[in-house]
Amino acid sequence: MKLMNKPSQLRALSCFCSILLLLEFVFVAAEDPYRFFDWTVTYGDIYPLGVKQQGILINGQFPGPEIYSVTNDNLIINVRNNLTEPFLLSWNGVQQRRNSYQDGVYGTTCPIPPGQNFTYTLQVKDQIGSFFYFPSLAFHKAAGGFGAIKILSRPRIPVPFPEPAADYSLLIGDWYQIDHKKLQGVLDFGHRLPLPQAVLINGRPNGTTFTIEQGKTYRLRISNVGLENTLNFRIEGHSMKLVEVEGTHTIQTEYSSLDVHVGQSYSVLITADQAPKDYYIAVSTRFTDKIITSTAILHYSNSQQSVSGTIPGGPTDQINWSIEQARSIRTNLTASGPRPNPQGSYHYGLINISRTITLSSSAAQVNKKQRYAVNSVSFVPADTPLKLADYFKIGGVFKVGSIPDTPSRKPMYLNTSVMGADFRAFVEIVFQNNENIVQSWHIDGYSFWVVGMDGGVWTPKSRNEYNLRDAVSRSTTQVYPKSWTAIYMALDNVGMWNVRSEFWARRYLGQQFYLRVYSPVGSVRDEYPIPKNALLCGKAAGRTSR
């Protein structure tokens, strides 16, 4: 081998090495930050209603630890399952871009066996806003295991309101004093659940305190992590300025109270501009015969008086009031989202619809047991997660097209329902509610534009009522009794995605299905490979992930 000894060659080599070092530095510096979490899931005694219950704790906490992150952060969450049964966590509203393997529902992810661990690798890609995580298997959600997720904007991306003095998460939800396994047993025997016993605010029915200072403004992130009830949120003597809904900056409208349907999240700003004393934060059930109310305390740091007097009342069963409020929530088109461009730069109202899907809910008895369905199909889990069966091409687990695009006149029947959809299609989905209850629907992997809602049965003429300019974009929407809600959705995220009722008893008893968004290209630009650490179960057991 001949050594280089000419100055020009040495200079060239030196320059080349410098370029390599520079490129390496740029690559490393440009990589998005990592945040690491180490969680242990256990059963433990909790006393939310003053009586000992078995709760699901994460690192000994109920509710679980808050996830704090910034747009595009990589979240590495190691979950040790010290329960006596399998366990999964899912991430309500986190889109899992190109990565439905990490979604944490049984259709995509094998449960974590007792005594073992699994490390979720999530990236909150191009997202901001308020979300939450929860246990998705069995009826674990009725025992806790949920917590808040905050995704902040990157420092150089403008936010359409001044930095608040503090940022508080409020997890609200209906609660049973009955053990979650007994509740699951009630459903397994074919019966309906009784009414819940209470409403919790951050794990307590009363007494949670939030301290504020006179003259300052605060951000409250409110998520309904309950099982079925719409909740009305209000603060005595204070108005709330809505600023964000599930990742979308909104027109900053002020409300005296706010309906938060199951699975939904909102951010509001409040200003400490009242007399220095303590005020009630009130949360109560909506559309129920018996109104259940719980309270927290808004405490001024210079308070001269504890809370007293009557808890502020809110709406009870006024459907029209709630509909008008929902219609008033719109996107702030001049605000930046996770990227430095206006949220309204994507003109959803000018895109041609490639497909209309109508989803109708129903309740009936199948084999003398209570079940719930979408388009007459009541979902039953397969013996293998559907995403793994799809990846390994395992036959006999599910069939694409096993749920129709429109309501069926067939009697309710059981099936592992999967609807096929093409990558990059732009679809219209109509949720048709023929029942007498307010419903709540969520789609994993996506946010969608809520373009319209009204009473009666949807027809093509209903499109004349659509908001095609500044409809709010979110991942969970309500559907009022004997009414419809229409959404537009760009199918830009390949994967197997859960479409579900957020009423947990209904989801458990079949009111869900999976949307298989498919690209024939098979490129990593469209979808990440199966994770190296993927748990393999059912008919996928014994195979090699990568």
Side-chain angles (χ1 to χ4, degrees):
M1 178 178 178
K2 185 177 180 180
L3 296 176
M4 290 189 298
N5 53 16
K6 293 182 181 180
S8 60
Q9 291 175 309
L10 291 173
R11 283 195 300 270
L13 177 62
S14 176
C15 181
F16 178 71
C17 291
S18 297
I19 291 172
L20 286 179
L21 287 172
L22 179 62
L23 288 173
E24 182 179 2
F25 172 78
V26 169
F27 177 78
V28 172
E31 190 174 13
D32 295 308
Y34 283 76
R35 297 180 188 267
F36 295 88
F37 303 84
D38 193 20
W39 290 354
T40 299
V41 180
T42 60
Y43 281 127
D45 293 338
I46 58 175
Y47 299 82
L49 304 185
V51 178
K52 184 171 74 172
Q53 291 181 251
Q54 184 186 65
I56 293 178
L57 312 179
I58 299 179
N59 289 355
Q61 299 179 40
F62 169 75
E66 180 176 276
I67 293 178
Y68 172 94
S69 61
V70 177
T71 301
N72 288 357
D73 279 357
N74 296 280
L75 309 180
I76 312 301
I77 307 172
N78 182 45
V79 178
R80 293 185 181 89
N81 177 19
N82 284 355
L83 303 183
T84 54
E85 65 261 19
F87 183 77
L88 271 180
L89 283 174
S90 190
W91 322 90
N92 210 71
V94 177
Q95 292 177 9
Q96 312 289 358
R97 304 296 302 175
R98 301 185 292 165
N99 201 13
S100 63
Y101 295 104
Q102 303 286 352
D103 201 30
V105 290
Y106 181 66
T108 63
T109 313
C110 287
I112 308 170
Q116 296 187 32
N117 75 296
F118 176 72
T119 301
Y120 292 89
T121 302
L122 320 177
Q123 186 180 26
V124 287
K125 182 70 174 173
D126 288 338
Q127 280 193 271
I128 58 168
S130 309
F131 310 98
F132 63 91
Y133 61 86
F134 66 94
S136 64
L137 279 187
F139 220 62
H140 287 156
K141 194 180 181 187
F146 44 74
I149 302 174
K150 293 179 182 176
I151 308 176
L152 277 65
S153 295
R154 288 172 286 182
R156 294 185 180 181
I157 306 297
V159 175
F161 50 86
E163 181 75 16
D167 187 331
Y168 294 120
S169 294
L170 289 87
L171 303 176
I172 61 176
D174 49 18
W175 187 259
Y176 287 86
Q177 191 173 309
I178 306 167
D179 181 84
H180 73 282
K181 292 183 180 178
K182 291 182 180 178
L183 291 174
Q184 182 177 337
V186 169
L187 298 174
D188 290 339
F189 277 103
H191 303 299
R192 300 188 182 196
L193 294 183
L195 294 175
Q197 281 75 48
V199 170
L200 301 187
I201 305 171
N202 286 0
R204 301 173 64 181
N206 296 291
T208 301
T209 300
F210 300 91
T211 300
I212 60 177
E213 293 184 24
Q214 192 84 38
K216 294 185 177 181
T217 298
Y218 295 82
R219 182 174 185 170
L220 307 182
R221 299 174 186 259
I222 309 156
S223 294
N224 187 337
V225 299
L227 298 178
E228 69 176 38
N229 282 286
T230 296
L231 299 175
N232 183 263
F233 183 93
R234 53 202 180 272
I235 304 175
E236 179 186 11
H238 294 73
S239 64
M240 301 178 290
K241 183 183 291 184
L242 184 65
V243 294
E244 178 256 331
V245 171
E246 295 161 26
T248 299
H249 290 306
T250 62
I251 291 177
Q252 295 180 12
T253 306
E254 295 202 357
Y255 299 95
S256 58
S257 71
L258 194 62
D259 276 353
V260 187
H261 302 273
V262 186
Q264 292 186 338
S265 297
Y266 292 87
S267 279
V268 299
L269 298 180
I270 63 164
T271 300
D273 55 5
Q274 300 299 306
K277 63 174 188 175
D278 292 357
Y279 295 86
Y280 283 114
I281 298 173
V283 181
S284 57
T285 56
R286 289 276 268 130
F287 320 119
T288 53
D289 292 333
K290 177 185 177 182
I291 304 300
I292 303 172
T293 300
S294 292
T295 61
I297 298 170
L298 188 69
H299 170 70
Y300 277 62
S301 60
N302 58 340
S303 172
Q304 304 298 315
Q305 181 182 338
S306 299
V307 290
S308 61
T310 305
I311 297 170
T316 54
D317 59 359
Q318 299 94 326
I319 293 289
N320 288 337
W321 184 95
S322 189
I323 292 175
E324 289 307 311
Q325 182 177 88
R327 288 172 175 165
S328 72
I329 299 172
R330 296 176 291 152
T331 296
N332 183 345
L333 298 180
T334 62
S336 293
R339 292 180 176 271
N341 58 288
Q343 294 183 133
S345 59
Y346 188 95
H347 298 291
Y348 68 92
L350 301 178
I351 301 173
N352 291 328
I353 299 166
S354 58
R355 179 179 178 187
T356 296
I357 300 167
T358 303
L359 304 176
S360 178
S361 62
S362 58
Q365 296 270 320
V366 178
N367 300 326
K368 298 183 179 180
K369 290 186 176 182
Q370 182 64 47
R371 296 290 300 186
Y372 300 94
V374 186
N375 290 357
S376 298
V377 188
S378 186
F379 183 86
V380 289
D383 60 1
T384 306
L386 309 181
K387 183 61 186 172
L388 297 184
D390 203 20
Y391 175 79
F392 289 115
K393 296 180 172 53
I394 300 171
V397 176
F398 70 90
K399 181 181 178 182
V400 176
S402 47
I403 178 172
D405 277 20
T406 55
S408 168
R409 294 183 179 181
K410 295 180 180 179
M412 186 182 295
Y413 62 97
L414 308 179
N415 204 340
T416 304
S417 39
V418 177
M419 181 179 290
D422 294 330
F423 182 42
R424 301 196 188 285
F426 191 81
V427 299
E428 173 187 47
I429 300 178
V430 178
F431 295 100
Q432 181 68 54
N433 179 8
N434 298 319
E435 301 178 74
N436 288 315
I437 61 170
V438 177
Q439 298 185 351
S440 188
W441 287 90
H442 178 87
I443 302 179
D444 280 352
Y446 286 93
S447 60
F448 45 73
W449 291 274
V450 183
V451 293
M453 56 178 63
D454 205 351
V457 177
W458 182 91
T459 69
K461 291 182 179 179
S462 302
R463 294 183 180 125
N464 296 330
E465 304 175 28
Y466 284 4
N467 177 358
L468 299 182
R469 174 172 169 75
D470 60 357
V472 70
S473 178
R474 64 188 316 166
S475 57
T476 308
T477 187
Q478 69 273 31
V479 192
Y480 291 98
K482 302 290 185 178
S483 300
W484 56 266
T485 294
I487 67 172
Y488 281 178
M489 191 165 74
L491 299 182
D492 58 358
N493 197 11
V494 173
M496 187 78 70
W497 304 108
N498 192 220
V499 181
R500 62 174 177 266
S501 169
E502 285 286 84
F503 285 25
W504 219 242
R506 284 179 165 251
R507 179 188 186 269
Y508 181 78
L509 293 180
Q511 203 158 82
Q512 60 169 309
F513 66 93
Y514 282 83
L515 184 69
R516 179 182 182 256
V517 181
Y518 177 71
S519 170
V521 176
S523 169
V524 293
R525 292 182 303 174
D526 298 337
E527 185 175 26
Y528 290 139
I530 187 172
K532 292 181 180 179
N533 69 330
L535 299 173
L536 301 178
C537 57
K539 294 177 181 176
R543 298 179 183 245
T544 302
S545 59
R546 265 197 280 166

